[in-house]
């Protein structure tokens, strides 16, 4: 398949997933401008990617260098830090000896001295040019059987155990005294130099680290200080080249075995065994990667104070959860330069050209500028279809040799660079958006990924982070906190949940989870959420059902016309609403869920709606008492629908359409504003205080009633009457509340008397009214209605008027 066919197939593949994801998001009820998504494969987007590259080149951020990079030899490409995953891997572990060329001046009488070295990558010994020791650690010369070896003092016990030998210490000295000692390469005709490295560890190995700058970043950091050679005889497929002479044509594993065999023959091998350790793997193909020095394009992170600028911006951004700040800072403080080139086919090409005469590889701002125009017109496939002349400004010549013959290079840009360009391609070009964005939102793995790749170019070009805040969430794990995997059989897909329970339950699950950590999902968790959902839905149904004959324009009462308990609920509902809005403002959605659930379950279902039943069903429909309740229910319904709208979006819209829409001639709940329902004068803190007391008394009384029911003295609570006896001070607080308390306790009668503090629950006197089920002494007061109480009689009369 040629490049263009391949790229066409890749584009089709990508577009297919755009459609699939779009469908899922729409099904989930997410709002977005679905008919205008920004796609990194659009010509216009590609134009901005190249423009960003041009700006960076103009400002001097790019350079090309041989450098060891993470390399996947299966995918044949360099990988960025964010594309590397650590997984367990079984590796060779060998302990070997490097012989000194001449006696060391520290102890000239010892002629045959060896450095003891440990490595897990035997094949990299082919490129060895040095051995590093830590300048400040203590090292020893020790007798190991018939040999004299040098190693770090702290590692003696672990080495004795691993190698099953005893080490007799002869001399002790600091690592820095070993600098510039010359060693023989253990199996090649090459000198190896002892160098100092602060990265040497005394946690494992021997304290003497084999150095191959072609295959390791720390190794490479010593190149300039010690003028070390960068030997890198491994091709892009992980096969040794001619440069490796006798190892040419071998792959990495074959070369490792051969190296081990050679060491054994030369008697330089002390131990070979296998270990399992955490090792970098390719995120794409899951194969172990290698370090391989190649020529790549880099963005210099320390150019023009970029790193410092980025760190400053990180401080300015709001991180949710706040731990993101330190995490991000720590990463940026130590991050290496950004390797921008990839040896792949699908992506935006880097418009670099190579001089046919002097082989110089050139990234020129004018060539890039011209390329951006071509891409905007024809798309980035044109880099592969058009002749190089189409990308060259008139009279362009090689800055080194003045030749005019060029070929196009074929590296593409790291795809993360494309994602990172969105601040320019999207925020800065779409008139409906603004820069910086209010928020970037992603999984917590994106501190290394999208957040950094967006922040770095944005800081370099416009000296600002592209976002005001960043929210990260954890990953989905099963009910026991285990990662989901096919082999464990614990995978629950979002589609499965939607198909089985509906999108609303999935939304509720997302909102009710504390996303600052990994979030759990299981059928048990989902069943709890279904209960939650039913509770909210039933509450809304109850409210709607009791407001069928309520019209705010006709039935609205002033605050002073409301029953006291209704005024209290108005105040309390306002306070819940305020709290919920504050939770939304701080993205604490799971707290919204808790609050809403408790409001529906405790405050409404077990209290307010329960005690209202008498007033709603037995009072005359147009009585002030019933309208008073409805006034408050109306407010509660409006507020409840708003509180759940961002989470239970379909339910909220459905409820809105059924009722609230009648008088609010807006098409959708989502065209309303939260603020419309904030009424500061509804809050009455004194009243809330008073009712906190009453509700606490209610708890005590309900327990007593429950006891009487258990002893079968009464059946329903309406069969009870309650006598409350209070000393002077409390008596004056409660004395006028007898009727209110009767309603609040749902009993037939409450009597308040002065005396020692005491609560008495007994069977109510009188007869049961068949209409309101209260026990009253005036049942049958009208001969034509022998089973009806006086209060109900009045209600019936009013209804007839
Ligand atoms: Zn790979
Ligand atoms: Zn040239
Ligand atoms: Zn009655």
């Amino acid at each position: 398949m040629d490049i263009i066919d391949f790229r066409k197939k890749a584009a089709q593949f990508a577009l297919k997933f755009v459609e699939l994801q779009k469908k899922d998001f729409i099904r989930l009820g997410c709002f977005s401008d679905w008919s205008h998504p920004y796609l990194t494969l659009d010509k216009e987007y590609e134009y901005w990617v190249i423009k960003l590259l041009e700006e960076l080149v103009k400002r001097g951020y790019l350079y090309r260098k041989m450098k060891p990079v993470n390399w996947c030899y299966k995918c044949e490409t360099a990988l960025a830090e964010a594309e590397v995953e650590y997984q367990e891997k079984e590796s060779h572990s060998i302990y070997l000896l490097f012989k000194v060329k001449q006696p060391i001046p520290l102890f000239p009488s010892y002629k045959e001295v060896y450095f003891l070295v440990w490595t897990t990558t035997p094949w990299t010994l082919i490129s060895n040019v040095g051995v590093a020791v830590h300048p400040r650690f203590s090292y020893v010369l020790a007798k190991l059987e018939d040999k004299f070896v040098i190693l770090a003092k702290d590692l003696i016990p672990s080495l004795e155990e691993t190698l099953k030998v005893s080490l007799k210490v002869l001399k002790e000295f600091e690592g820095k005294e070993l600098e510039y000692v010359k060693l023989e390469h253990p199996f090649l005709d090459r000198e190896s130099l002892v160098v100092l490295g602060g990265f040497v560890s005394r946690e494992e190995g021997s304290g003497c680290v084999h150095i191959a700058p072609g295959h390791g970043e720390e190794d490479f950091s010593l190149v300039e200080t010690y003028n070390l050679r960068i030997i890198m005889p491994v091709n892009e497929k992980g096969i040794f080249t001619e440069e490796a002479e006798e190892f040419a044509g071998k792959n990495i594993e074959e070369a490792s075995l051969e190296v081990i065999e050679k060491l054994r023959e030369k008697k330089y091998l002390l131990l070979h065994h296998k270990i399992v350790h955490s090792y970098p793997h390719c995120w794409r193909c899951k194969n172990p990667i290698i370090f391989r020095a190649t020529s790549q394009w880099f963005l210099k992170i320390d150019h023009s104070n970029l790193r410092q600028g980025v760190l400053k911006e990180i401080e300015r951004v709001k991180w949710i959860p706040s731990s993101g700040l330190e995490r991000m800072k720590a990463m940026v403080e130590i991050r290496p330069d950004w390797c921008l080139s990839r040896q792949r086919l699908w992506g935006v090409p880097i418009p670099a050209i190579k001089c046919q005469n002097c082989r110089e590889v050139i990234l020129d701002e004018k060539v890039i500028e011209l390329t951006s125009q071509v891409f905007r017109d024809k798309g980035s496939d044109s880099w592969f279809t058009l002749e190089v002349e189409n990308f060259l400004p008139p009279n362009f010549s090689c800055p080194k040799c003045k030749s005019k013959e060029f070929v196009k290079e074929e590296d593409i840009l790291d795809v993360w660079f494309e994602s990172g360009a969105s601040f320019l391609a999207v925020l800065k070009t779409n008139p409906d958006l603004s820069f910086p964005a209010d928020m970037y939102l992603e999984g917590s793995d994106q501190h290394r990924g999208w957040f950094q790749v967006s922040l770095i170019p944005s800081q370099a070009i416009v000296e600002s982070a592209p976002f005001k805040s960043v929210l990260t969430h954890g990953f989905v794990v099963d009910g026991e906190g285990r990662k989901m995997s096919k082999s464990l059989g614990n995978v629950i897909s979002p589609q499965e949940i939607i198909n089985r329970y509906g999108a609303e339950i999935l939304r509720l699950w997302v909102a009710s989870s504390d996303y600052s950590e990994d979030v759990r999902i299981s059928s048990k968790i989902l069943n709890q959420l279904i209960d939650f959902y039913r509770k909210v839905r039933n509450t809304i149904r109850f409210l709607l059902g009791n407001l069928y004959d309520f019209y705010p324009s006709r039935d609205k009462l002033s605050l002073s016309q409301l029953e006291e308990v209704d005024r209290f609920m108005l105040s309390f509902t306002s306070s819940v609403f305020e709290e919920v809005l504050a939770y939304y403002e701080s993205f604490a959605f799971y707290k919204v869920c808790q609050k809403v659930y408790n409001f529906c379950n405790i405050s409404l279902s077990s209290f307010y709606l329960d005690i209202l039943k008498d007033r709603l069903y037995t009072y005359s429909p147009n009585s002030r008492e019933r309208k008073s309740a409805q006034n408050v229910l109306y407010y509660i319904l409006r507020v409840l629908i708003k509180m759940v709208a961002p989470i239970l979006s379909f339910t909220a819209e459905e409820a809105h359409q059924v009722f609230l829409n009648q008088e609010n001639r807006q098409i959708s709940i989502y065209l309303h504003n939260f603020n419309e329902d904030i009424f500061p004068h509804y809050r009455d803190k004194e009243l809330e205080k008073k009712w906190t007391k009453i509700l606490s008394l209610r708890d005590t009384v309900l327990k007593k009633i429950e006891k009487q029911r258990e002893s079968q003295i009464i059946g329903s609570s309406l069969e009870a009457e309650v006598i409350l006896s209070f000393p002077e001070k409390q008596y004056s607080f409660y004395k006028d509340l007898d009727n209110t308390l009767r309603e609040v306790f749902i009993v037939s009668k409450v009597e308040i008397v002065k005396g020692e503090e005491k609560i008495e629950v007994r069977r109510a006197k009188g007869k049961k009214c068949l209409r309101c089920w209260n026990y009253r002494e005036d049942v049958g007061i009208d001969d034509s209605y022998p089973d009806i109480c006086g209060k109900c009689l009045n209600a019936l009369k009013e209804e007839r008027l």
Side-chain angles (χ1 to χ4, degrees):
M1 194 188 295
D2 76 355
I3 293 183
I4 294 301
D5 284 343
F6 181 91
R7 286 169 61 90
K8 286 216 165 82
K9 282 237 151 57
Q12 281 164 8
F13 186 76
L15 288 170
K16 184 179 121 190
F17 279 95
V18 169
E19 286 312 309
L20 287 175
Q21 285 197 357
K22 187 189 289 183
K23 227 179 92 205
D24 283 348
F25 277 124
I26 293 172
R27 176 68 189 87
L28 256 181
C30 298
F31 284 136
S32 198
D33 188 359
W34 294 118
S35 39
H36 306 98
Y38 77 82
L39 300 175
T40 54
L41 51 72
D42 284 342
K43 287 187 254 184
E44 186 67 14
Y45 196 102
E46 290 180 329
Y47 164 77
W48 286 107
V49 170
I50 297 296
K51 274 308 212 196
L52 177 58
L53 183 71
E54 180 191 336
E55 287 303 314
L56 291 166
V57 169
K58 269 187 193 163
R59 289 169 162 81
Y61 281 104
L62 265 76
Y63 69 95
R64 186 171 172 83
K65 199 178 173 185
M66 260 302 252
K67 219 185 153 178
V69 289
N70 299 305
W71 186 274
C72 177
Y73 53 88
K74 280 275 151 68
C75 303
E76 297 178 38
T77 185
L79 298 174
E81 290 300 308
E83 295 171 322
V84 171
E85 299 172 348
Y86 280 80
Q87 285 166 29
E88 300 274 281
K89 170 186 182 290
E90 192 188 64
S91 295
H92 297 285
S93 159
I94 60 170
Y95 292 82
L96 71 149
L97 298 172
F98 276 71
K99 189 178 174 193
V100 302
K101 286 186 103 172
Q102 289 133 15
I104 298 174
L106 268 177
F107 25 85
S109 55
Y110 294 92
K111 305 278 186 263
E112 293 235 327
V113 174
Y114 299 85
F115 276 68
L116 175 52
V117 168
W118 171 65
T119 180
T120 56
T121 51
W123 59 275
T124 60
L125 286 167
I126 296 166
S127 309
N128 172 280
V129 292
V131 169
V133 295
H134 196 286
R136 288 183 312 278
F137 291 174
S138 285
Y139 283 79
V140 296
L141 177 73
K143 192 160 192 300
L144 190 163
E145 285 156 7
D146 59 340
K147 290 191 170 71
F148 300 108
V149 296
I150 291 174
L151 53 117
K153 187 186 169 191
D154 289 354
L155 287 158
I156 292 175
S158 74
L159 282 168
E160 285 187 323
E161 199 191 320
T162 313
L163 300 175
K164 301 192 174 59
V165 294
S166 71
L167 290 160
K168 193 177 160 228
V169 175
L170 304 169
K171 306 264 179 204
E172 186 175 334
F173 42 90
E174 272 199 314
K176 63 173 185 244
E177 299 192 59
L178 298 168
E179 197 179 17
Y180 296 118
V181 167
K182 287 177 178 149
L183 308 171
E184 284 174 15
H185 189 285
F187 55 86
L188 293 172
D189 183 18
R190 185 190 297 153
E191 192 175 273
S192 193
L193 188 70
V194 177
V195 296
L196 304 180
F199 53 82
V200 174
S201 144
R202 50 183 156 189
E203 303 298 317
E204 54 182 3
S206 61
C208 305
V209 174
H210 133 65
I211 296 295
H215 295 299
E217 194 157 16
E218 286 160 338
D219 315 44
F220 186 82
S221 69
L222 301 169
V223 163
E224 278 179 31
T225 317
Y226 293 101
N227 197 22
L228 299 176
R229 263 180 77 193
I230 304 167
I231 299 172
M232 210 296 294
V234 178
N235 75 9
E236 64 282 356
K237 293 185 168 66
I239 307 291
F240 278 85
T241 61
E242 293 305 319
E243 199 188 335
E245 295 178 1
E246 52 183 304
F247 298 98
K250 302 219 152 39
N251 68 30
I252 280 161
E253 179 59 18
E254 290 162 349
S256 281
L257 293 172
E258 195 144 321
V259 164
I260 292 166
E261 212 33 58
K262 278 189 178 301
L263 292 169
R264 202 189 306 277
E265 276 167 26
K266 297 225 168 196
K267 307 224 180 319
Y268 286 158
L269 185 69
L270 295 179
L271 177 70
H272 168 219
H273 63 159
K274 293 275 181 88
I275 57 162
V276 174
H277 60 161
S278 167
Y279 188 87
H281 287 68
C282 170
W283 71 288
R284 197 188 304 270
C285 72
K286 311 295 173 196
N287 209 54
I289 61 160
I290 58 173
F291 263 98
R292 181 171 175 268
T294 52
S295 282
Q296 301 287 347
W297 291 105
F298 291 91
L299 185 153
K300 193 165 177 53
I301 194 76
D302 285 312
H303 178 65
S304 193
N305 259 337
L306 178 55
R307 192 192 304 269
Q308 291 318 312
V310 168
L311 287 169
K312 237 191 207 155
E313 283 300 287
I314 291 173
E315 296 269 1
R316 227 168 51 95
V317 167
K318 183 175 165 65
W319 299 89
I320 306 156
S322 58
S323 55
L325 172 71
E326 287 310 315
R327 193 177 150 82
M328 192 73 178
K329 262 172 64 187
M331 282 181 178
V332 170
E333 268 162 9
I334 57 159
R335 70 154 292 144
D337 287 349
W338 180 0
C339 178
L340 286 182
S341 39
R342 292 290 183 281
Q343 292 66 48
R344 304 194 69 79
L345 302 176
W346 170 238
V348 179
I350 299 176
I353 48 173
K354 191 194 259 173
C355 171
Q356 288 275 52
N357 181 42
C358 72
R359 317 303 290 166
E360 176 79 359
V361 177
I362 302 154
L363 197 50
D364 178 273
E365 56 187 75
K366 289 201 196 66
V367 175
I368 303 176
E369 216 286 296
L370 200 55
T371 306
S372 72
Q373 299 301 341
V374 177
F375 284 10
R376 192 176 216 176
D377 258 20
K378 304 190 166 92
S380 68
D381 277 355
S382 53
W383 182 257
F384 302 98
T385 55
L386 298 180
E387 296 301 324
V388 68
E389 288 69 34
N390 293 280
F391 304 97
L392 300 179
N395 296 319
F396 187 77
S397 64
C398 172
K400 268 213 166 154
C401 73
K402 300 296 164 215
S403 159
K404 293 195 171 181
E405 299 288 308
F406 300 98
V407 287
K408 291 169 291 179
E409 284 274 292
E410 294 204 332
D411 288 357
I412 61 157
L413 281 161
D414 177 6
V415 289
W416 284 109
F417 185 81
E418 295 181 38
S419 323
S422 56
F423 79 92
L424 199 61
V426 183
L427 292 180
K428 287 216 167 237
T429 53
N430 185 333
D432 294 333
L433 301 174
S434 57
F435 177 95
D438 289 321
M439 174 174 281
Y440 275 32
L441 169 98
E442 257 292 355
S444 53
D445 57 335
Q446 298 299 324
H447 287 119
R448 207 180 283 284
W450 195 40
F451 306 138
Q452 263 194 63
V453 300
S454 300
L455 185 48
I456 291 168
S458 175
Q459 175 65 20
I461 301 303
V462 293
E463 289 179 38
S464 164
F467 34 67
K468 292 180 197 157
S469 63
V470 171
L471 184 147
T472 54
H473 55 78
F475 290 87
V476 180
V477 292
D478 74 5
E480 271 88 60
R482 295 173 304 179
K483 258 192 185 175
M484 288 199 177
S485 78
K486 278 204 180 117
S487 57
L488 283 174
N490 60 353
V491 179
I492 302 182
S493 78
Q495 284 82 1
E496 235 176 279
I497 299 173
I498 291 183
N499 291 340
R500 207 159 145 206
Y501 305 102
E504 208 77 320
I505 295 298
L506 188 62
R507 297 181 65 94
L508 183 57
W509 168 72
V510 171
S512 65
S513 307
D514 179 359
Y515 58 78
S516 64
E517 291 165 17
D518 281 349
V519 287
R520 295 180 179 215
I521 195 162
S522 65
S523 2
K524 197 178 147 208
I525 294 170
L526 288 168
N527 282 326
Q528 286 165 358
L529 292 172
I530 290 165
D531 283 346
F532 181 141
Y533 174 72
R534 285 207 187 110
K535 180 55 77 182
V536 174
R537 192 175 171 89
N538 286 341
T539 306
I540 291 175
R541 279 175 68 105
F542 181 93
L543 294 167
L544 282 170
N546 281 288
L547 288 166
Y548 70 94
D549 62 342
F550 179 78
Y551 292 92
S553 52
R554 184 192 72 190
D555 300 323
K556 189 152 175 55
L557 299 179
S558 69
L559 274 179
S560 59
Q561 290 171 294
L562 297 182
E563 292 287 292
E564 187 179 296
V565 63
D566 297 338
R567 265 193 293 125
F568 160 65
M569 273 312 285
L570 207 54
S571 181
F572 180 75
T573 304
S574 296
S575 81
V576 170
F577 190 43
E578 279 170 30
E579 269 180 82
V580 163
L581 291 187
Y583 289 144
Y584 273 124
E585 287 291 338
S586 58
F587 308 101
F589 307 120
Y590 72 99
K591 288 187 181 165
V592 170
C593 291
Q594 282 166 3
K595 197 85 204 168
V596 166
Y597 182 75
N598 287 342
F599 182 62
C600 289
N601 193 36
I602 299 171
S603 312
L604 294 181
S605 182
S606 307
F607 168 60
Y608 189 56
L609 302 184
D610 204 21
I611 68 164
L612 278 190
K613 280 174 191 155
D614 187 48
R615 250 200 287 157
L616 290 170
Y617 302 145
T618 72
Y619 281 57
S620 147
N622 292 319
S623 64
R624 185 195 53 80
E625 290 90 342
R626 186 165 174 272
K627 288 296 167 196
S628 168
Q630 280 183 320
N631 266 267
V632 177
L633 294 182
Y634 176 75
Y635 180 67
I636 290 175
L637 179 59
R638 286 179 60 133
V639 162
L640 182 59
I641 289 177
K642 284 209 174 145
M643 289 195 297
V644 300
I647 296 169
L648 299 177
S649 305
F650 297 99
T651 307
E653 182 64 13
E654 193 189 339
H656 181 74
Q657 295 298 337
V658 171
F659 183 69
L660 293 181
N661 217 17
Q662 292 176 6
E663 295 212 358
N664 280 279
R665 298 199 183 281
Q666 301 262 29
I667 298 160
S668 163
I669 180 76
Y670 301 104
L671 294 174
H672 284 272
N673 200 314
F674 275 128
N675 300 337
E676 300 162 356
D677 286 307
I678 298 173
F679 303 112
H681 62 287
Y682 280 5
R683 284 304 294 278
D684 184 337
K685 295 206 174 133
E686 278 306 304
L687 195 63
E688 284 182 37
K689 240 196 232 157
K690 177 177 174 185
W691 275 81
T692 309
K693 255 186 175 168
I694 294 174
L695 289 178
S696 138
L697 174 67
R698 175 176 180 262
D699 285 345
T700 317
V701 170
L702 290 194
K703 270 180 210 138
K704 293 236 164 191
I705 294 174
E706 191 51 40
K707 264 205 189 125
Q708 300 295 68
R709 279 163 55 121
E710 275 166 19
S711 3
Q712 299 188 332
I713 292 167
I714 55 166
S716 85
S717 69
L718 281 173
E719 289 172 25
E721 66 176 50
V722 177
I723 297 112
L724 300 168
S725 164
F726 292 116
E728 183 65 42
K729 207 176 151 202
Q730 275 167 286
Y731 174 77
S732 56
F733 176 82
Y734 286 112
K735 70 175 191 276
D736 299 325
L737 289 174
D738 50 347
N739 207 38
T740 304
L741 292 179
R742 184 189 60 75
E743 191 177 8
V744 166
F745 302 157
I746 318 184
V747 294
S748 283
K749 192 178 175 192
V750 169
E751 222 180 294
I752 293 155
V753 297
K754 226 189 284 186
E756 229 173 90
E757 187 162 350
K758 203 171 113 199
I759 299 170
E760 195 190 334
V761 176
R762 63 184 185 209
R763 239 195 115 75
K765 285 187 204 114
K767 253 177 87 186
K768 182 177 178 179
C769 165
L770 279 191
R771 189 165 170 279
C772 67
W773 296 5
N774 276 267
Y775 281 71
R776 297 177 67 110
E777 289 172 71
D778 62 356
V779 170
I781 191 167
D782 186 326
D783 290 343
S784 27
Y785 300 98
D787 300 319
I788 301 296
C789 75
K791 191 178 64 127
C792 286
L793 211 55
N794 286 336
L796 287 172
K797 277 180 191 157
E798 269 177 52
E799 269 173 59
R800 292 217 189 92
L801 288 176

